[in-house]
Amino acid sequence: ACSESVEKEEAGKAGGSAGSGEVSEYKIGAIYSKTGPNSPLGEPEWNATKLIEEKINSEGGINGVPLKIILADDESSQEKATQEANRLINDEKVLVLLGSSGSGESLAIKGIALQQQVPMISAAASTHIVEPVEDAKWVFKTPQSDRHAVERVYMYLNEQGISKIGTIIDSNAFGSSGLEQMEALADEYKIEIVAKESYNTQDPDMSAQLTKINGAKAEAIVVWGTNPGPAVVAKNTRDLGIDLPIIGSHGIANQNFITLAEAAAEGVVIPTGKLLFPSQISGDDVQFDAISSFYKAYTDKYSSEPTNFGSYGYDNIMLVIDALKNGATDREAIREHLENNITNWIGTTGVFNFSDKDHNGLTADSLVMAVVKDGKWMLLEK
Amino acid sequence: MGDLLQFTLTGVTIGSIYAIVALGFVTIYSVTKVINLAQGEFVMLGGLTMYSLTSAGVPYLLGFVITIIVVSILGWIMEYLLIRRAKGADPISLIILTIGTAIFIRGIASVVWGKDQLRVAPFTENTPVNIANATITPQAIWVVVIMLLVVFLLYILIDKTMVGKAFQASSVNPLAARLMGISPKRMSSLSFTLSAALGALAGLAIAPIMFPSYDMGTMLGIKGFSAAILGGLGSAPGAVIGGLLIGLLESLGAGYISSGMKDAITFSAILLILLIRPSGILGEKSVGKGGL
Amino acid sequence: MNGDKLMEVIDLSVSYGPIQALKGVSLAINKGEIVALLGANGAGKTTLLQTISGLLKPTGGSIIYQGVNIAGMEAEKVVEKHLVHVPEHRQVFSTMTVLDNLYLGAYHHRKKSKMKNIEKNIGKVFDLFPILKDRKNQLGGTMSGGQQQMLAIARGVMAEPELLLLDEPSLGLAPLIAKDVLELVRNLRAEFGTTVLLIEQNVTASLKVADRGYVISHGEIVKSGSSKELLNDPEVKEAYLGHTVN
Amino acid sequence: MKLQGVQQTKWMGVLVFALAILVFPFIVTQSFYLTQATFAGIYAIIAIGLGLLMGYAGQISLGQAAFYGIGAYTTSVLTATMGWSPWVSLPIALLFPGLLAFIMGYTMSRLSGYYLAMATLALGIIVHTLLVEWRGVTKGASGFFGIPQLNLFGYTINQGIPYYYLVWFFVIIVLILSLNIVHSRVGRALRSIHDSEIASSSMGVNTSKYKMQIFILSAMFAGLAGWLFAHMSYSISPAAFTFDASILFLAMVVLGGSGSVWGALIGTLLIRMVGIVVHMLGEKFPFITSDFEHVIYGLILMLVVIFLPRGLFPTVADWFDALLTKRSSKKSMLKLAAKR
Amino acid sequence: MLQVDSITKRFGGVVANSEVSFTVEEGQIVGLIGPNGAGKSTMFNMISSVFPPTTGTITFQGTRIEKLPAYQVAPLGISRTFQNLQVFKNMTVIENVMVGQHMQTKTNLFGMASLLLGITRKERKVYDQAMSYLAFFGLQDIFDQKASSLSLGKLRLLEFARAFATEPKLLLLDEIAAGLNHKETQEMSALINKVRDTGVTVLVVEHDMDLVMSICDKLVVLDQGVKIAEGTPKEIQENEAVITAYLGADIDEEEVEEEAI
Ligand SMILES: Nc1ncnc2c1ncn2[C@@H]1O[C@H](COP(=O)(O)OP(=O)(O)OP(=O)(O)O)[C@@H](O)[C@H]1O
Ligand SMILES: Nc1ncnc2c1ncn2[C@@H]1O[C@H](COP(=O)(O)OP(=O)(O)OP(=O)(O)O)[C@@H](O)[C@H]1O
Ligand SMILES: CC(C)C[C@H](N)C(=O)O
Ligand SMILES: [Mg+2]
Ligand SMILES: [Mg+2]
């Protein structure tokens, strides 16, 4: 467990809390999964958050008030997430809660945010985090939902003229909520799911499932999971001599997938945020400035890729800063600001339009399709 | 029909992986009566050590040998530093001890190798082989071959040699064993070293198949343990039968029923088999008249 | 049969934690002798045997066996010197067959490729205890109490002992067999010159086969002498035979 | 009433403990510790049940998380999906795990030792798989959400001090219940099974019945913990009810000492403490991350088994006893020494 | 009281008992003797229902018991000791005996758990009773010692006391004097007599002929699973078959003496 806060006790008393009047600092809590299975997500989110904190404070804070972000690691565990959320809200009296990286952890925190009436912005995929909106009054999220990703995939399939797919998902939260959306949207996009398979993250071989999908006359394989499962799927598919297109999820939008699957990765297609390849984004894209400046700042500081997850971390904190800059400096006001005043707000993930009907505020357009070509992720031109 | 063959080949491959891990359990259990739940971690160490060696440019064969030696030494150390000192603890505590060791090793591994899955090159050129509409990769064949080789050698060692009898004697009655000139300590440390070597071998064999990472041991440990129990604790052929059975149940279950439910299917089947044979498929019913 | 000391125990002390079980025991055994060790329950007989065979570490004193001090030597090393201990409570390998039990008795000379010898010895112990031959594939633990006792003794014989330590060998044996076992002790000596240190609750019987005896009480040797002397010793009679001098 | 030579409940101990529970939130006011303590209470309930099972019925369970999960999901479905009051669903959340234990126990009565451990492991995995796959009811791997909070006399029991007291109220009940069982003739019978099953059955002890009862009881305790956990959280997911969780419970019992009810409780607190200490170290030294926590946690498990094979509590209790009896008589000192 | 009727027990190929029949009358001390492996312990195990016979019936006071589980036989009034000691090592002496009294009180797990104060009164009664049993066997001074720290002789007594505490009608003693020296064996004989005098019927397996011959009213002799004789000690001592199979001729004692030294 590692929480990066200096002089915590002191700050707790000084309190940049919900109270009004003379404020010494704005205290924000962020819970990301820096370790544990979700660490590939949490790490860039954590880094991005720190990057912004330093940047803002070096520029003299927000309207002269320094920003203080207390970062906490939930180790990809719901229980830890709950503990940290309670600590940040009650002990640190933060204004806003950011995180967490995974859907399960975010849902766990959601309960507390609702009970304690603290605005929260999640960096996880599941639609349940912000839906139904009536039950998510205090909760927002920036990543595209599984629904968006699935919509984007289905749009692609329609373009390709593929209508029968076999799905293979990781039997964890990410995979199963992907499947949920694929099922829900299938009719709308006239897609038929002819085989539904799953695997456990550590399974060594998925030939049986793939043989079944192939036998079900699917025209494409859609695999929803994070590494290493999809790499095994890609490899097994090619080893079995199955010649179907493989479509992945945004969960493998990283180089490691290609490293693992090697040649079998070639031709795999996924939906992804644009941050996967900033250099390939065209200059007239509205997000161009946001993406390239964040990408540069991040890579300069950390000498690693921010990936899409970095963009969630970035947008989360930037939304809060937007609220603070506009004078929303207590919990209620920040919530109001997020719900009512974020329209056409340009982030690195997409263009946000929050409202009392939509606490995610994105459309499937914020995602693009990418393909592996010569061992690299490339933007798939329409 | 082609499907059935494919499912069977896949099942045998997965099953062989479980079987090798199970053989590690058997080796240690048959000497010390300890269930070593860190067995999966030996496998993980095997895969990851090989990764480091090959990426450092060590020739493949040399890396192979070094890996086995390094992991064996770790097995020996584990016995010497931990198991030996915990004599007198009851079996449950000993399980916890090995779990503690597993967690410890996993923690260290995550610091040393990071959390990403890694890739290790296969033993040989890995173009899949086609058998009557089903395919199998050469690496999978290697896994099966290694498994068969190991069980054969273990069978000879345990059932046919004096060392095997000494193994058994030290576990049944260490005091009497000492009076026969058998050192239970030596046997215990031999068994840990041997089973660590087996673990390393398993790690080497499956690394090209399943992308080793610091946390792969738990799953392998569970499956290996299940295979060893299903086959009948202490029996090497039993471990193989158990491993293959679990592998086949998984792949046939996934193939014909539901891949989501494959674990439930497999473990329900295990429960059922245990109800019919309470000491596993090849297990001896526990003997000894106790106090009668 | 005298003078040639096979083993000498000098001032041996052993403790279980704070409890001192042996307090400076000294005794000597000559080659080819049969020596009985007498003493009440808890006197320290078993402790002494276990210390000689290396199962227990002494806190003081020495055990000179064939000119070498073996005090504190590991049990598994001691047996290689053909100093063989048949322990209390049988201690057979319960989940192994009778035959495997016997093979293990000969474990310590497996290396010298004496396999032929081992087969011969097995034949010999089968002659001694025919039931073992009939049951050679039965698991040790399923044998009856007395059968296990026979197996334990037979296993000891398999080790080709020069000095044999027997801890209550006739415990649980039917009277007829019990006699046979004591008979066996003499046969071993007659045939191989095996030296024997014997513990028996049946004091009369054990003194009848033994040449000499020691009496141990509360961890100390309190008496020694020839079997005849001890048999006629009023104190011995009083203490162990339960009937008073007549 | 003091019966010398017989294990008895030390009511003084229970009282002192209850008082400590009562004042804790007044001494430690940080919400973080309070949450930790609340979780500790939930786990303690499971650990006490598992301790009974291991220490008194001599059975190991590698699948206790299954009962915990069933308790949590039962109440979640009944309240969130079907709209029941959590208080009405409480008995059902105890009943279901108990029932499953009954069925399992019945079929498993032929198994023993590691084979029994295997059966419980299988149970754990099967239940976990069902929680993931039975999406119509459990909402699948991403978890069940929207679980209502508890209400008592119109007052919502929020996370924090209210929930802390609720949980520990139940812990004390479970503790007293368990101490009573352990120190009754049934407990004695159970302890005797541990030493010689065959002898206790010829004393007329129906060993399999008692083992079964304890198995059911431990399952119900776990179910209670699940109920508490569900209504504390807004959402639960199968990830909380895995093999790892079962192992954690096991570790708590072994650390504390499986032969005693207090041991399980102490073990639970100890494991929580390790987490907290590493957390605090992490704040001082940034290189101590949660990875390190695992290393240290593993290390502690190893050290305890090696140096305190009977677990923490019995060993410490013995030192204590030895200190107390020191002046009374030399004889009893000797006795103690002989035990070692 | 106890009627064993043509009992046969096979273990795979081994026939441990073959068509054995005998009876035990109330108030008797009956000895079951025979060479090693004759099937004595096996018979004991069947009477105390550790395992069932292959064929044949065992009737105790009119109830067929050969198929009952062990814990149901005890309440009928049969109790036993074990050839290889089975004391509860981790419990104190008095606790061991209190387990023996298990059947004298009722209340199940759940009832027990809910009772708070009621139990202590009952406990007291059981405790006092246990103490008196200990006194009967001369173990009262060591009542609070852990069983694991006792010497063999005391352990045998404790097993005896524990079995007696079940208030049996029939008590089975398996080699209760094994490992005891002459003097202790004599004390044990006296104790068995004392127990019989309280109205308990006793069935003993024993290789110590002095003990058997001095206390038994009747002896049953097994050899290789078959009953070869039955009768009073005196009859048995003179029975040719028994002498050749088991007792051995008395004469060789002198032989041994002559050979010595
Ligand atoms: N493991 C042990 N721990 C503590 N004390 C022990 C242990 N073993 C034996 N003792 C004690 O040491 C003393 C000697 O025991 P030992 O077994 O040597 O006696 P013995 O003469 O063989 O008696 P027996 O005739 O009963 O076999 C006894 O007082 C006994 O209680
Ligand atoms: N589980 C078993 N499997 C095979 N054979 C067995 C088993 N149990 C007992 N036997 C055999 O049955 C026969 C009778 O054994 P039992 O233990 O009843 O003898 P016993 O009369 O008590 O002898 P002792 O006086 O030596 O204790 C023996 O030959 C024994 O080897
Ligand atoms: C891979 C990611 C998109 C996963 C996602 N953040 C989750 O809900 O777990
Ligand atoms: Mg002795
Ligand atoms: Mg017998």
Side-chain angles (χ1 to χ4, degrees), chain C residues 16 19 21 39-48 88 168 201, chain D residues 338, chain E residues 152 179:
Chain C
Y16 294 103
I19 296 173
N41 266 311
K45 306 182 295 293
T46 300
T47 307
L48 176 59
E88 204 176 14
E168 306 201 20
Q201 289 295 353
Chain E
L152 183 90

Side-chain angles (χ1 to χ4, degrees), chain B residues 55-135:
Chain B
S55 26
V58 177
Y60 201 88
L61 250 157
L62 185 62
F64 199 94
V65 175
I66 296 180
T67 301
I68 292 187
I69 293 175
V70 167
V71 180
S72 304
I73 292 175
L74 291 175
W76 182 84
I77 291 177
M78 175 176 173
E79 199 279 339
Y80 187 79
L81 284 185
L82 304 173
I83 307 296
R84 186 165 291 192
R85 281 158 230 270
K87 280 295 167 214
D90 59 61
I92 298 177
S93 303
L94 282 173
I95 288 195
I96 296 295
L97 176 64
T98 63
I99 289 173
T101 314
I103 295 173
F104 181 78
I105 296 179
R106 219 178 298 149
I108 300 279
S110 77
V111 174
V112 175
W113 283 284
K115 308 217 161 167
D116 280 342
Q117 294 78 24
L118 302 167
R119 208 194 76 86
V120 177
F123 289 6
T124 47
E125 162 61 30
N126 211 27
T127 323
V129 184
N130 219 315
I131 311 169
N133 269 334
T135 60

Side-chain angles (χ1 to χ4, degrees), chain C residues 158-194:
Chain C
M158 286 298 296
E160 302 188 337
E162 263 165 44
L163 173 57
L164 184 62
L165 311 175
L166 290 173
D167 199 342
E168 306 201 20
S170 68
L171 182 96
L173 291 185
L176 204 56
I177 312 275
K179 259 175 214 154
D180 283 355
V181 165
L182 294 180
E183 198 65 23
L184 167 77
V185 171
R186 306 177 131 241
N187 288 343
L188 283 176
R189 169 168 71 183
E191 222 175 305
F192 311 100
T194 310

